[in-house]
Amino acid sequence: MNTVLQPLDVTAIRRDFPLLSRVFHGRPVVYLDSAVSGQMPLQVIERMAKYEREEHTNVHRGVSTLSQEATDFYEAAREKVRRFIGAGSPREIVWTRGTTEAINLVAQTFGRMSVRKGDEILLSAMEHHANIVPWQMLAEEKGATLKVIPMTDEGELILDSLDELLTDRTKLLGVVHVSNVLGTVNPVKEIIAKAHARGVPVLVDGAQAVPHLTVDVRNLDADFYVFSGHKLSGPTGIGVLYGKLAHLEAMPPWHGGGSMIRSVTWEKTTYVAAPGKFEAGTPPIAAAIGLGAAIDYLATLGLDRIAAHEHDLLVYATERLNRIPGLRILGTAKEKASVISFVVEGIHPHDLGSLLDGEGVVVRAGHHCAQPVMARFCVPATTRASFAYFNTREEVDVLVSAVEKAIELFK
Ligand code: PLP
């Protein structure tokens, strides 16, 4: 059955984001940088402020009504995350500071436990540094090797190579769900199935996927799935590690301290069960509650309606940018999220970024924490526009005019 989606009421949505009414250099701001960090709606900011104003205390520590209430809000946010990604139990949801910390946690616990000298860790050619460096550090420590799944010039992973790259020595496969540079949506379900057929567990970096796609970790059968709150209309300082319970139970703790222990004597410490054993110290309580509020906010808009709106912007912007002579888009995969990286002949991406800034257009210029992707496409950097549910076609037009103006200046 084909259900017709009601389009988003973008005018109403934009009222939830006061930043969108700001003026930079005499021009209304056009925020096309949600891949770097999503904006938070007022509903999220106000929920966090309410906690700080009226509900603030520590969690899991007191018998007071105040403390129990804060613990309930904090744990309710964990439950919202569980539902949001389709995990089986809130015990599979570990709070972290973000995607980067979640991957480091897995590398330094699961990785240290399972990787030995001569073993291999398989990553894709389009990983963010967050899903490269922790594995490289582990490989150096253990005498293991990193191997790389190559990609095509369009920015699609060459999955046939998996038959050769997955070996008896492969101890983990790490893959990004949506590339932050190319926008490619990787077929992670298929990749996971191939890896599992060889007994290899898979970590999926979902930092750029959760804001755009409906994710079901059980359907994907991911062993680990990680993301950050701040890309999901939530605050910075909070992120999520989903891990299958069997893995989390087998993994040793990482950071030691308060909250993660069952008992401490001078002779020995015992630990609480997952996820608590990975959550030492006072957590970012307001941020966790804020992330829960962000998930609620996105649910009221509907992820399928968000995806449809962003797809429209992606198609429209791609079509308009492609008409500009000398402009080349990097990443032309069939399945793409609303991220467009491009280079313009004769203009350094940093110069272009500054010129766009002068027109009120906020984009990212640089290597996007993905230097191996830059090397693969033989560019030092790109300019990247990324679209969210509050962006409009008119804003795409402003971007296009600003790029055209920059090209005129450089003639
Ligand atoms: N992975 C991807 C694909 C990203 O885009 C990012 C951030 O840009 C990260 C990981 C790192 O996220 P964080 O800095 O929030 O830990």
Side-chain angles (χ1 to χ4, degrees), residues 117-382:
K117 191 171 167 43
D119 284 343
E120 293 163 2
I121 299 160
L122 184 55
L123 302 172
S124 94
M126 60 177 84
E127 296 309 310
H128 186 282
H129 295 164
N131 205 20
I132 299 175
V133 184
W135 303 113
Q136 215 158 33
M137 288 161 68
L138 178 73
E140 272 169 22
E141 178 187 314
K142 296 288 187 174
T145 317
L146 293 191
K147 291 209 158 176
V148 181
I149 307 166
M151 64 173 147
T152 64
D153 291 344
E154 289 73 35
E156 292 181 337
L157 292 179
I158 302 174
L159 296 192
D160 288 348
S161 68
L162 280 176
D163 297 334
E164 227 170 82
L165 286 168
L166 284 165
T167 73
D168 295 341
R169 292 178 164 247
T170 316
K171 287 295 165 342
L172 182 121
L173 189 160
V175 64
V176 70
H177 197 165
V178 170
S179 161
N180 64 316
V181 180
L182 308 167
T184 311
V185 181
N186 284 316
V188 286
K189 187 170 175 169
E190 187 184 338
I191 294 170
I192 291 169
K194 278 184 184 257
H196 284 177
R198 298 294 303 261
V200 175
V202 180
L203 177 142
V204 181
D205 172 354
Q208 299 290 348
V210 285
H212 308 291
L213 316 171
T214 302
V215 170
D216 183 330
V217 289
R218 272 185 294 180
N219 179 263
L220 294 177
D221 202 19
D223 295 274
F224 300 102
Y225 196 98
V226 297
F227 61 94
S228 302
H230 71 100
K231 309 227 192 243
L232 192 64
S233 308
T236 55
I238 188 80
V240 170
L241 161 64
Y242 158 81
K244 284 184 178 170
L245 196 54
H247 290 318
L248 296 183
E249 279 175 342
M251 283 152 57
W254 185 33
H255 293 156
S259 297
M260 49 81 77
I261 58 93
R262 201 180 296 284
S263 77
V264 179
T265 65
W266 289 117
E267 289 72 36
K268 189 172 170 56
T269 294
T270 58
Y271 309 111
V272 294
K277 73 174 166 181
F278 301 110
E279 295 177 349
T282 299
I285 303 162
I289 292 171
L291 178 53
I295 288 172
D296 287 344
Y297 182 81
L298 296 177
T300 61
L301 303 186
L303 266 189
D304 44 359
R305 293 163 77 207
I306 290 174
H309 179 77
E310 291 174 348
H311 184 71
D312 175 71
L313 293 176
L314 173 73
V315 172
Y316 180 67
T318 304
E319 202 249 317
R320 290 227 50 200
L321 288 170
N322 268 335
R323 276 197 253 143
I324 299 178
L327 184 148
R328 177 163 68 99
I329 293 178
L330 275 73
T332 51
K334 276 190 241 44
E335 294 294 328
K336 264 190 84 167
S338 53
V339 171
I340 304 182
S341 277
F342 55 93
V343 287
V344 175
E345 227 172 75
I347 313 183
H348 193 281
H350 286 148
D351 293 333
L352 184 57
S354 299
L355 288 167
L356 296 186
D357 184 61
E359 300 294 316
V361 181
V362 183
V363 292
R364 175 95 190 266
H367 55 61
H368 315 292
C369 298
Q371 287 182 350
V373 179
M374 299 298 112
R376 167 65 180 76
F377 287 94
C378 304
V379 293
T382 74

Side-chain angles (χ1 to χ4, degrees), residues 43-89:
Q43 288 82 341
V44 173
I45 297 165
E46 279 163 7
R47 180 63 194 92
M48 289 196 295
K50 181 170 185 288
Y51 165 77
E52 298 294 18
R53 223 172 27 230
E54 300 167 29
E55 301 158 357
H56 180 95
T57 183
N58 216 323
V59 290
H60 294 152
R61 290 182 188 201
V63 290
S64 65
T65 305
L66 190 64
S67 175
Q68 281 173 12
E69 187 187 74
T71 304
D72 287 348
F73 291 138
Y74 173 74
E75 289 303 329
R78 196 192 303 271
E79 170 59 19
K80 286 175 191 180
V81 169
R82 180 203 70 72
R83 237 181 299 131
F84 180 65
I85 58 168
S89 160

